[in-house]
Amino acid sequence: MTTPPLASADQANRARIALFGAAIVTIVLYLVPFGKYALYPLMLFSTFVHEMGHGLTALALGGDFLYFKMWADGSGIAAYAGHFSAFGKAITAAGGLLGPPLGAAVLFTLGRRANWAKTVLYAMSIICALCILLVVRNLFGIGFVALLGLVCFFVAHRTQPGTSQMVVVFLAVQLCTSVFSRVDYLFTQHADTAGGALPSDSEQIAMALIGPYWFWGGLIAVVSVAILFWGVTTFMQALRLNTRNA
């Protein structure tokens, strides 16, 4: 009769270790002299999630996700097409901005259990493969997405469930961090990408609706924090419930 509660308590302890371990590693990377080199691919990961947010939102609204490109400076672009209303255009632009916080919330939710984390990493490797086949259209983007997919597959296939859980939670923490480290983009009217200067996502929302770009950037910032709060709270509530049941 005591085995299930003990298993729940063990899951809670491993999830707690994964969360605090990921947070400590992140802090160390920001403090040590060469940590920026390790943070660089994580910054690219947030760009990937951001641009996929645009493309997937366009698909959800009945449009087409044409292609996706990203460059070594961390900039990217997602091209989509469709007969969108003004509101649809605004939602598609917001889909990229909300991609990282939504991605973090999903990873926190699924990272509560080690066996779920393995499935998440396998799913991410499949998503990366599909992206390369269907939408990634420049060499750097293909290289990064392929590397991300291979790392996810290797961790899921060759490591213990606890390690997979640590990686999933770590990626969630990085997406959380990117929301704040790149918050200035929300209040920028133009985006300078390696592919050329374009209206920022906040400006695109303003062009589709009414009001200045900085108003929509601020609103997206508030919504992003609310999503992150929900994701972290869901993660921590699960730990408290499991511990109480034990």
Side-chain angles (χ1 to χ4, degrees):
M1 295 297 293
T2 58
T3 301
L6 288 173
S8 295
D10 184 58
Q11 286 280 358
N13 289 331
R14 284 192 292 184
R16 191 175 292 109
I17 291 171
L19 177 61
F20 289 107
I24 290 172
V25 171
T26 301
I27 293 171
V28 170
L29 288 177
Y30 272 95
L31 294 178
V32 298
F34 300 103
K36 61 181 181 181
Y37 297 108
L39 289 169
Y40 174 68
L42 299 171
M43 180 265 291
L44 295 177
F45 174 61
S46 71
T47 298
F48 172 64
V49 175
H50 174 105
E51 302 303 341
M52 290 302 296
H54 285 308
L56 293 177
T57 303
L59 285 175
L61 294 178
D64 296 315
F65 186 4
L66 301 179
Y67 64 83
F68 155 65
K69 293 181 180 180
M70 64 185 300
W71 294 278
D73 64 355
S75 62
I77 184 173
Y80 48 86
H83 298 290
F84 301 123
S85 65
F87 184 71
K89 292 177 182 178
I91 290 297
T92 305
L97 297 173
L98 294 175
L102 284 171
V106 169
L107 292 179
F108 274 128
T109 300
L110 298 178
R112 292 176 296 174
R113 296 192 178 186
N115 56 332
W116 292 0
K118 270 188 170 292
T119 302
V120 170
L121 292 176
Y122 277 126
M124 288 178 64
S125 67
I126 294 172
I127 291 171
C128 287
L130 290 174
C131 287
I132 292 172
L133 290 173
L134 299 175
V135 293
V136 185
R137 291 297 180 265
N138 72 322
L139 186 60
F140 183 84
I142 290 173
F144 174 76
V145 176
L147 179 61
L148 175 63
L150 288 172
V151 170
C152 290
F153 181 82
F154 177 83
V155 173
H157 188 64
R158 298 297 298 272
T159 67
Q160 296 297 317
T163 303
S164 294
Q165 184 177 36
M166 175 71 79
V167 170
V168 169
V169 175
F170 180 71
L171 291 176
V173 170
Q174 302 320 305
L175 290 178
C176 277
T177 304
S178 73
V179 172
F180 299 100
S181 65
R182 308 179 82 173
V183 70
D184 57 321
Y185 176 66
L186 293 173
F187 303 97
T188 302
Q189 190 171 11
H190 298 98
D192 295 320
T193 73
L198 298 168
S200 69
D201 293 326
S202 299
E203 175 66 5
Q204 290 183 47
I205 297 173
M207 291 166 60
L209 302 178
I210 58 173
Y213 68 91
W214 49 263
F215 168 79
W216 294 108
L219 182 60
I220 292 293
V222 172
V223 174
S224 296
V225 171
I227 293 171
L228 291 177
F229 179 78
W230 174 80
V232 175
T233 300
T234 299
F235 187 90
M236 297 305 295
Q237 283 179 342
L239 302 190
R240 287 194 292 270
L241 286 173
N242 286 339
T243 302
R244 190 179 301 121
N245 289 337

